[in-house]
């Protein structure tokens, strides 16, 4: 019944292990991502075997403040990604389309496909959440084929508010069961599906 997560604070990660309702913190220093300001934060989670085989689970969540130097280009990364822009502008190149996301916009990306997103000016603020699960990619592909990558405005606002609340939950050091975490991902899927 342990739960491991990495907490990113002020340009380093903190390893937090939850077991029996108590946590142990270990300083786990990593290089800061280019263009990400020190006031940014994020959490990395390692699922337990039961979650991996039965449930949806969050692998990363974060709230980033970025400069014009921020850019991510990947050909492949295992989890599904949801990005919600709070301020500024995030450019996304995905599935042959180029999107300019501004405050209130959100996008769904299956990171197993090539993708590129970047800030072209200072002042970008966004939330991100990576998740996986037994059929996470199949559901993601279904939503992408049905609705496209950019989330409809009305759903994007509700999705962003939900991810902000989820981030606050983890920032406060709270924990939940694997089943409760899976329900969080289902709620995200509900906003994405529309």
């Amino acid at each position: 019944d342990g739960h491991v997560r990495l907490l990113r604070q002020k340009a380093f990660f903190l390893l937090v292990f939850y077991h029996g309702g108590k946590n142990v913190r270990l300083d786990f220093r990593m290089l800061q991502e280019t263009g990400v300001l020190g006031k940014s934060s994020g959490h990395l989670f390692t699922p337990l075997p039961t979650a991996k085989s039965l449930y949806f689970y969050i692998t990363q969540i974060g709230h980033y403040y970025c400069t014009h130097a921020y850019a991510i280009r990947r050909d492949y990364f295992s989890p599904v990604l949801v990005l919600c822009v709070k301020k500024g502008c995030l450019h996304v190149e995905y599935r042959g389309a180029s999107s300019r996301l501004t405050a209130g916009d959100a996008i769904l990306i299956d990171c197993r496909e090539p993708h590129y997103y970047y800030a072209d000016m200072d002042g970008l603020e966004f939330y991100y959440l990576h998740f996986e699960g037994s059929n996470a990619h199949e559901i993601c592909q279904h939503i992408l084929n049905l609705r496209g990558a950019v989330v409809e405005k009305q759903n994007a606002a509700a999705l962003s508010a939900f991810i902000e609340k989820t981030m606050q939950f983890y920032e406060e050091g709270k924990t939940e069961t694997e089943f409760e975490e899976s329900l969080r991902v289902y709620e995200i899927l509900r906003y994405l599906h529309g």
Side-chain angles (χ1 to χ4, degrees):
D1 62 358
H3 188 79
V4 177
R5 72 181 170 135
L6 290 171
L7 172 63
R8 186 179 186 289
Q9 293 181 332
K10 308 288 184 195
F12 66 92
F13 284 85
L14 203 56
L15 179 64
V16 180
F17 179 69
Y18 289 94
H19 187 73
K22 300 185 182 200
N23 62 51
V24 177
R25 295 174 152 220
L26 303 170
D27 188 354
F28 186 72
R29 299 195 180 272
M30 296 181 72
L31 295 176
Q32 183 176 3
E33 294 176 68
T34 301
V36 177
L37 299 175
K39 64 182 176 178
S40 301
S41 63
H43 305 267
L44 302 173
F45 301 94
T46 302
L48 296 171
T50 304
K52 279 183 120 171
S53 64
L54 297 177
Y55 302 118
F56 291 117
Y57 52 92
I58 297 168
T59 59
Q60 291 180 277
I61 186 171
H63 181 193
Y64 275 12
Y65 298 86
C66 301
T67 69
H68 67 279
Y70 180 75
I72 298 291
R73 182 186 301 270
R74 296 186 190 107
D75 288 325
Y76 181 92
F77 189 58
S78 184
V80 174
L81 172 63
V82 178
L83 296 166
C84 300
V85 178
K86 188 80 172 164
K87 290 181 187 166
C89 178
L90 181 70
H91 294 272
V92 180
E93 294 177 17
Y94 177 58
R95 291 187 145 203
S98 183
S99 303
R100 183 179 186 271
L101 305 180
T102 58
D105 290 334
I107 193 165
L108 170 67
I109 298 173
D110 185 338
C111 292
R112 297 179 311 172
E113 300 172 354
H115 56 283
Y116 175 46
Y117 52 95
Y118 60 94
D120 65 356
M121 63 180 77
D122 293 343
L124 172 64
E125 177 186 354
F126 69 94
Y127 287 87
Y128 71 90
L129 185 141
H130 284 286
F131 69 90
E132 292 197 81
S134 59
N135 65 338
H137 291 283
E138 290 80 5
I139 291 176
C140 177
Q141 288 296 318
H142 172 73
I143 293 169
L144 288 168
N145 293 333
L146 186 68
R147 303 273 187 225
V150 177
V151 181
E152 295 173 8
K153 278 285 190 193
Q154 181 179 346
N155 292 341
L159 173 65
S160 182
F162 185 78
I163 290 178
E164 283 185 51
K165 267 179 60 177
T166 300
M167 181 67 182
Q168 182 179 1
F169 176 86
Y170 294 125
E171 288 285 298
E172 292 171 357
K174 296 179 180 175
T175 60
E176 59 197 351
T177 66
E178 295 165 325
F179 186 75
E180 291 166 330
E181 185 177 334
S182 189
L183 288 175
R184 277 189 194 275
V185 177
Y186 270 109
E187 188 71 9
I188 290 164
L189 291 169
R190 185 174 72 85
Y191 293 123
L192 292 168
H193 191 273

